[in-house]
């Protein structure tokens, strides 16, 4: 099960609108206990792609620095989020190519005309095939995470 703070979903949607028509991107952190994910924070990242309106590329230094910071707590990177300014909630060919970690969640924010947004979450079915699961997530208030 995937639980995410309501304010995190709202911040991701807002960031997607701010960066439109370019893709927003970043990391999601929290606590994972077996198959239960509790996402309590988001970490925007610089898009170093040469064509930010067509894709995203996260600066590896940003990921390394975040992992070092999270090591001091009981939290980990649980997922990546990015937007699709073309309005599609489907994984792109580039998403599929780079989506290698079975335990990592991919949140996609689909935007249409900078106004309407929809969020879908994907997870790899396994490390061998190119099959992906569309995951249900639950938006929770702050009390749930305390």
């Amino acid at each position: 099960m995937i639980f995410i703070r309501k304010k995190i979903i709202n911040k991701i949607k807002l960031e997607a609108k701010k960066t439109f028509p370019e893709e927003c991107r970043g990391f999601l952190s929290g606590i994972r206990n077996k198959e239960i994910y509790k996402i309590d924070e988001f970490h925007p990242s610089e898009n170093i792609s040469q064509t930010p309106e067509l894709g995203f590329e996260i600066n590896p230094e940003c990921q390394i620095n975040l992992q070092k910071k999270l090591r001091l707590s009981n939290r980990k990177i649980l997922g990546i989020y990015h937007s699709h300014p073309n309005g599609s909630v489907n994984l792109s060919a580039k998403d599929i190519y780079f989506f290698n970690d079975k335990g990592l969640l991919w949140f996609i924010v689909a935007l249409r005309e900078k106004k309407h947004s929809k969020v879908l979450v994907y997870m790899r079915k396994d490390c061998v095939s190119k099959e992906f699961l569309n995951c249900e997530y639950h938006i929770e208030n702050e009390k749930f995470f305390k």
Side-chain angles (χ1 to χ4, degrees):
M1 283 194 126
I2 302 165
F3 299 97
I4 187 166
R5 285 184 166 167
K6 183 177 184 175
K7 73 177 185 180
I8 301 303
I9 288 289
N10 291 338
K11 286 180 178 181
I12 292 169
K13 287 181 176 182
L14 181 62
E15 186 184 349
K17 289 177 183 178
K18 282 184 193 176
T19 60
F20 187 89
E22 296 180 3
E23 290 194 13
C24 73
R25 70 269 129 232
F27 297 98
L28 299 165
S29 64
I31 297 171
R32 180 178 174 190
N33 185 359
K34 296 181 184 175
E35 298 304 315
I36 298 175
Y37 295 77
K38 286 186 175 181
I39 299 168
D40 60 7
E41 194 56 69
F42 88 118
H43 310 271
S45 173
E46 174 189 8
N47 188 351
I48 60 172
S49 171
Q50 297 297 318
T51 54
E53 65 283 350
L54 299 175
F56 76 97
E57 188 177 337
I58 294 176
N59 185 337
E61 189 176 315
C62 178
Q63 182 176 357
I64 291 166
N65 290 339
L66 178 58
Q67 287 172 319
K68 285 179 183 177
K69 177 183 167 187
L70 293 175
R71 242 185 252 144
L72 301 173
S73 68
N74 193 24
R75 298 166 56 245
K76 296 183 186 280
I77 293 174
L78 301 179
I80 292 175
Y81 69 89
H82 73 282
S83 60
H84 283 180
N86 64 4
S88 173
V89 290
N90 299 319
L91 291 167
S92 68
K94 191 173 180 180
D95 292 339
I96 291 168
Y97 179 79
F98 286 107
F99 196 160
N100 295 315
D101 189 339
K102 181 183 181 279
L104 197 66
L105 302 170
W106 276 51
F107 280 68
I108 295 179
V109 182
L111 285 173
R112 275 230 190 268
E113 301 171 9
K114 197 177 176 176
K115 298 176 189 173
H116 309 287
S117 58
K118 181 176 182 177
V119 179
L120 278 184
V121 182
Y122 293 91
M123 177 187 288
R124 276 189 76 102
K125 185 173 180 180
D126 56 48
C127 293
V128 179
S129 70
K130 290 287 185 189
E131 292 184 60
F132 301 90
L133 305 172
N134 187 332
C135 304
E136 179 180 335
Y137 64 95
H138 305 276
I139 299 172
E140 297 293 340
N141 61 31
E142 298 303 306
K143 290 180 183 179
F144 177 82
F145 287 88
K146 293 182 181 183

